[in-house]
Amino acid sequence: MKVLQVGAEIYPLIKTGGLADVLGALPQALCNQGADLRLLLPGLPGIIDAVLHAKRVCQIGPVFGAASVTLLRAQMPYTHVPAYVIDAPFLYRRGGGPYQDRHGGEWADNLQRFGLLGWVAAQLAQGQLDPDWHAEVVHAHDWHAAMSCAYLHAHPADEAASVFTVHNLAFQGLFPHDDWALLGLSSRYMSPAALEFHGQLSFMKAGLKFADRVTTVSPTYAREIATQEFGMGLEGVIRGRGADVSGILNGIDARVWDPAADTALPQRYSAGQLQGKAVCKAALQKRFGLASEAGTPLLGVVSRLTSQKGLDLVLSVLPEIIRMGGQLVVQGTGEASLEAAFRMAADAHPGRVGVLLGYDEIGAHRLIAGADMILVPSRFEPCGLTQMYGLRYGTVPIVRRVGGLADTVRDAGHGEPSTASGNGFVFDTAQPPALQDAISRAFEHYLRHDAWIELMQVGMGESLSWDGPAQQYMALYEHVASDRREHRRKDLD
Ligand code: ADP
Ligand code: GLC
């Protein structure tokens, strides 16, 4: 099965969130399943400077406002997965982030930057750019890659099938309607039945409308996005796709997230040898200036600080966490108001609350290893990876019952000897009392040492690998590719 994976960020080269973790691990898992897989990535500095053995495949004429566009073939560092990289210096080689400049403003030419990514994907898939390779399936991730589905649809031969994965419906890739001519598509693609969305152009809608199949990163989120509460205005479009929309839960990369092999930790540990976790906790308390108390329940957060993540609820219940004798460490970046609120919380509770406002990959590993519990009280969460990293590290998740959190965390009840196979604590409403109740139950459970160890070990034993999800994607690819072959056969008859 020839598969082209298209995305804008990839761990460890460029990362703004979990999408990068997925693109850093899923391709390798698909290769292990026998896929003839290639990545297609924009030539952002972090990517173009890191790929190995880059060779020129072809020169692509001036397109999307870029005078010089070269398609390179290379290998990813570490995994050696084959990758195509679009070298378009004018569009991609610049400082700042993949989507935003240093001040947090969207790049003004994102339509061209990600229009190009989608267009190249469609050309490549149809064998127009590399004479040695074409794709049977294009798998596009999030709005950044979604235009590949529209360009494939618009292509007269329309040979490769497409799968579009929604990682987060909150980011849609909206652009002024007047810019549509820059996309080089016929005007019929600009109607409300296609890309038009309330007077704007929506790249997300290109994926939702034109992909052969749409997936999201958890089964629960797949159901949620068909509702007004979670659909971000696209619920009608999603409902319109009916059974074409499904959820495949993300896995985690065991090469990167494994407490028994994690070189970031002051001491490694495993489910059978937990002593190292206490060393990680002591080091974390020290690093964040917290009182060195081995028996105090230590809550951790590693997160983008945005309203999605529900961290205002944590601020609301903080006095109660302190009153119950807990400690809190937070590592995150994001909205200025949340950053300021967490900074103030740390100042107000010296020795009990520690906050690091910044992005630090190694620090994230150390925090997740050192905390007793990880808080993920999201308002919505397509999948969520940090609760899974928590499970793997014996750091018990406390989560809201939404999206992938609902699909990965099972409530352990009230601390009585566990009969159910709970692996964490789950609450329903996005209100402080509900979160507070879940934290109280976790703290009660924590006091019962043996029950707590058992709970940690249940989580550490979960199968969270990418093998199962990769098999599900392979089955989906086979399905869409055979539908496409069938279609072509009918066209010829
Ligand atoms: P999202 O993609 O919505 O941000 P996920 O839970 O899927 O949420 O993935 C978040 C990823 O980003 C995880 O790998 C997490 O460890 C990482 N992360 C988030 N904030 C930080 C931070 N401040 N420093 C380091 N890693 C972070
Ligand atoms: C998005 C979602 C997150 C998910 C990640 C990877 O960023 O917000 O829930 O885990 O994508 O799929």
Side-chain angles (χ1 to χ4, degrees):
M1 173 60 62
K2 292 179 169 19
V3 184
L4 185 67
Q5 293 275 329
V6 193
E9 52 185 277
I10 186 159
Y11 175 87
L13 309 184
I14 300 254
K15 171 165 166 176
T16 70
L19 171 64
D21 292 7
V22 171
L23 277 163
L26 173 62
Q28 174 87 71
L30 291 166
C31 290
N32 295 345
Q33 299 291 327
D36 171 3
L37 178 136
R38 305 203 178 171
L39 280 156
L40 175 67
L41 303 165
L44 303 166
I47 293 175
I48 207 134
D49 295 341
V51 291
L52 310 172
H53 316 301
K55 287 197 186 66
R56 186 169 166 261
V57 176
C58 66
Q59 190 70 35
I60 305 168
V63 271
F64 292 90
S68 156
V69 178
T70 310
L71 186 67
L72 305 173
R73 199 179 153 196
Q75 277 181 0
M76 294 310 291
Y78 315 108
T79 59
H80 297 271
V81 169
Y84 293 100
V85 180
I86 307 168
D87 188 13
F90 178 70
L91 294 175
Y92 297 143
R93 285 208 215 176
R94 49 177 84 157
Y99 323 117
Q100 296 176 336
D101 62 26
R102 286 202 179 85
H103 311 289
E106 301 293 309
W107 291 115
D109 53 358
N110 272 345
L111 176 135
Q112 291 93 322
R113 298 172 76 236
F114 296 106
L116 175 66
L117 181 64
W119 182 81
V120 170
Q123 294 287 310
L124 189 52
Q126 326 244 14
Q128 307 284 318
L129 301 180
D130 183 347
D132 296 331
W133 199 80
H134 69 277
E136 292 166 271
V137 176
V138 173
H139 185 170
H141 295 267
D142 261 354
W143 72 263
H144 327 118
M147 283 303 292
S148 47
C149 306
Y151 286 117
L152 278 172
H153 186 266
H155 197 278
D158 194 14
E159 283 186 346
S162 56
V163 172
F164 176 57
T165 295
V166 178
H167 291 261
N168 194 337
L169 211 53
F171 303 104
Q172 301 188 355
L174 295 175
F175 300 101
H177 192 271
D178 289 349
D179 288 350
W180 71 267
L182 297 170
L183 292 172
L185 282 166
S186 91
S187 57
R188 77 189 174 99
Y189 284 90
M190 301 310 136
S191 73
L195 270 63
E196 203 258 354
F197 184 63
H198 299 293
Q200 290 182 289
L201 293 176
S202 164
F203 276 24
M204 178 65 85
K205 218 175 146 192
L208 295 175
K209 278 279 183 187
F210 297 116
D212 292 293
R213 292 289 286 268
V214 175
T215 69
T216 70
V217 285
S218 69
T220 295
Y221 192 59
R223 290 189 294 276
E224 288 172 343
I225 57 175
T227 67
Q228 196 183 5
E229 185 183 356
F230 295 98
M232 306 270 172
L234 286 163
E235 58 274 13
V237 176
I238 289 157
R239 278 201 297 272
R241 292 301 309 258
D244 289 347
V245 182
S246 62
I248 298 179
L249 193 67
N250 287 334
I252 65 173
D253 191 339
R255 292 161 311 171
V256 180
W257 293 95
D258 176 5
D262 192 332
T263 52
L265 308 188
Q267 191 171 317
R268 294 172 218 164
Y269 60 93
S270 62
Q273 293 279 332
L274 281 168
Q275 301 87 325
K277 186 157 172 75
V279 176
C280 294
K281 178 171 177 178
L284 186 66
Q285 286 172 321
K286 189 156 181 240
R287 175 156 178 258
F288 279 81
L290 304 185
S292 310
E293 297 168 357
T296 288
L298 173 53
L299 293 160
V301 170
V302 177
S303 184
R304 290 186 289 115
L305 303 180
T306 67
S307 61
Q308 171 188 344
K309 300 294 178 178
L311 295 167
D312 50 306
L313 299 175
V314 176
L315 288 163
S316 302
V317 304
L318 189 55
E320 191 56 22
I321 293 173
I322 306 292
R323 197 195 59 73
M324 290 189 292
Q327 293 179 333
L328 173 70
V329 286
V330 176
Q331 181 180 310
T333 47
E335 289 165 14
S337 58
L338 279 168
E339 290 197 355
F342 276 110
R343 197 180 292 120
M344 281 163 64
D347 290 346
H349 302 286
R352 313 309 298 172
V353 177
V355 172
L356 190 145
L357 298 174
Y359 194 90
D360 173 6
E361 195 72 40
I362 288 177
H365 284 243
R366 292 183 178 153
L367 194 158
I368 290 175
D372 294 305
M373 301 152 201
I374 183 141
L375 283 173
V376 196
S378 307
R379 293 212 150 66
F380 67 95
E381 196 61 75
C383 179
L385 297 173
T386 54
Q387 84 282 7
M388 292 203 259
Y389 299 152
L391 287 170
R392 176 99 193 174
Y393 280 63
T395 305
V396 175
I398 302 175
V399 306
R400 182 156 176 250
R401 199 186 312 276
V402 283
L405 302 173
D407 292 344
T408 51
V409 183
R410 302 178 303 275
D411 195 87
H414 275 275
E416 62 277 4
S418 42
T419 43
S421 61
N423 61 5
F425 297 89
V426 186
F427 65 98
D428 284 289
T429 50
Q431 296 291 339
L435 172 59
Q436 194 174 304
D437 177 67
I439 295 174
S440 309
R441 290 189 296 114
F443 281 17
E444 270 171 40
H445 213 115
Y446 180 80
L447 292 176
R448 302 178 59 251
H449 184 72
D450 291 349
W452 188 256
I453 299 286
E454 201 182 301
L455 190 56
M456 288 166 67
Q457 288 170 334
V458 170
M460 295 178 89
E462 301 275 330
S463 161
L464 301 169
S465 97
W466 271 107
D467 296 345
Q471 280 166 14
Q472 292 181 57
Y473 279 117
M474 286 299 276
L476 186 67
Y477 300 155
E478 295 289 351
H479 193 88
V480 289
S482 91
D483 273 4
R484 190 49 66 112
R485 283 192 294 271
E486 183 67 13
H487 220 142
R488 277 206 304 276
R489 208 176 49 75
K490 282 202 188 118
D491 284 351
L492 294 175
D493 287 347

